[in-house]
Amino acid sequence: MTINICFHGIGDSSREREAGGERYWIERDVFLAVLDEVRERPDVRLSFDDGNVSDIETGLPALVERGLHATFFPIAGRLEESHSLNPSDLRALRAAGMEIGTHGWAHVPWRGLNTQEQQRELVDAREALAEASGGRIDDAALPLGRYDRRLLAQLRHREYRTVFSSDRYPARSSAWLQPRYSLTAADTVATVRHLITDRARLADLRSRTRSAVKRLR
């Protein structure tokens, strides 16, 4: 099983552009301590949503220093905005061995989009991020975590390799739909440690139980 941990912003939350978004920013010291906590955990995967400039200012150097890998999901429509990643930043992330995925064009939910909106969010954003970053975009992170069966079918049809949600539970490492835990300003190293150890233990227990049941059949 895999524990997917998602970061949004690091440090000064005044850079946040959306109401309520500041609750997903964590202090720099907490961020660094979390990386130290997970650096020896191959069952933990890291990602960054929204494309805030703190990804390149703080996130990338800390990852490289610890030999960690992450996937970054910027918003295509913000590439030229201040406080957001720009094309040069995306190429620097790739050059450092990081993955780039798509978080859409305008950070709106993808569920229930009309045809024109689907084109912009699922296709145009992907193409813009591929051009800006100088590489393929195979993975997607669902904006605001909202989805339904119809949307997932559309993403499969468009041949996305992996889709990440905000559902807070462990994932099968090979699953196409990957749930994640988004950290908030209230999180600490202790809460993350609890999350990883308890969730991993629970997933292992469930796996052992299923195996035992199968052997008894």
Side-chain angles (χ1 to χ4, degrees):
M1 301 297 288
T2 297
I3 302 293
N4 290 302
I5 292 178
C6 178
F7 303 102
H8 288 78
I10 307 162
D12 181 8
S13 64
S14 66
R15 296 176 174 184
E16 176 60 43
R17 284 147 293 184
E18 298 182 27
E22 65 277 359
R23 71 180 292 260
Y24 291 100
W25 285 67
I26 66 174
E27 295 293 332
R28 180 179 182 275
D29 289 347
V30 174
F31 169 72
L32 298 178
V34 169
L35 293 191
D36 289 334
E37 182 69 24
V38 306
R39 66 189 303 175
E40 303 298 334
R41 298 289 309 227
D43 56 336
V44 174
R45 293 196 296 197
L46 306 174
S47 58
F48 294 72
D49 280 5
D50 298 351
N52 289 301
V53 73
S54 61
D55 291 355
I56 196 79
E57 292 177 343
T58 305
L60 180 60
L63 292 169
V64 171
E65 181 180 354
R66 293 161 177 77
L68 292 171
H69 174 270
T71 302
F72 292 78
F73 294 97
I75 298 169
R78 295 181 181 175
L79 288 180
E80 300 303 327
E81 293 184 5
S82 61
H83 305 318
S84 291
L85 298 178
N86 60 42
S88 177
D89 295 329
L90 299 187
R91 291 173 183 266
L93 290 169
R94 281 202 189 274
M98 306 300 157
E99 299 262 0
I100 305 295
T102 178
H103 205 35
W105 191 276
H107 205 232
V108 296
W110 291 349
R111 187 176 61 190
L113 298 178
N114 61 37
T115 301
Q116 183 177 359
E117 292 167 338
Q118 287 178 20
Q119 175 67 30
R120 183 182 66 170
E121 294 293 330
L122 307 185
V123 180
D124 295 348
R126 186 182 195 178
E127 293 176 352
L129 289 168
E131 181 178 357
S133 67
R136 288 174 55 88
I137 301 295
D138 293 317
D139 305 317
L142 300 165
L144 307 181
R146 300 175 192 172
Y147 63 95
D148 55 21
R149 291 182 179 179
R150 181 179 180 185
L151 171 59
L152 296 182
Q154 292 168 348
L155 293 169
R156 281 192 180 275
H157 176 71
R158 299 184 189 282
E159 300 182 343
Y160 279 96
R161 177 177 58 192
T162 311
V163 173
F164 292 83
S165 74
S166 297
D167 299 319
R168 295 177 61 83
Y169 55 85
R172 288 184 295 107
S173 57
S174 61
W176 178 75
L177 181 61
Q178 290 280 316
R180 296 182 297 174
Y181 296 88
S182 290
L183 299 193
T184 73
D187 278 301
T188 65
V189 176
T191 65
V192 172
R193 182 182 301 125
H194 177 77
L195 166 69
I196 295 170
T197 56
D198 279 20
R199 294 296 182 178
R201 189 181 302 116
L202 178 60
D204 181 64
L205 177 61
R206 287 175 176 170
S207 178
R208 289 172 184 269
T209 302
R210 285 195 298 266
S211 297
V213 170
K214 288 180 180 178
R215 287 196 297 271
L216 292 173
R217 288 177 178 175

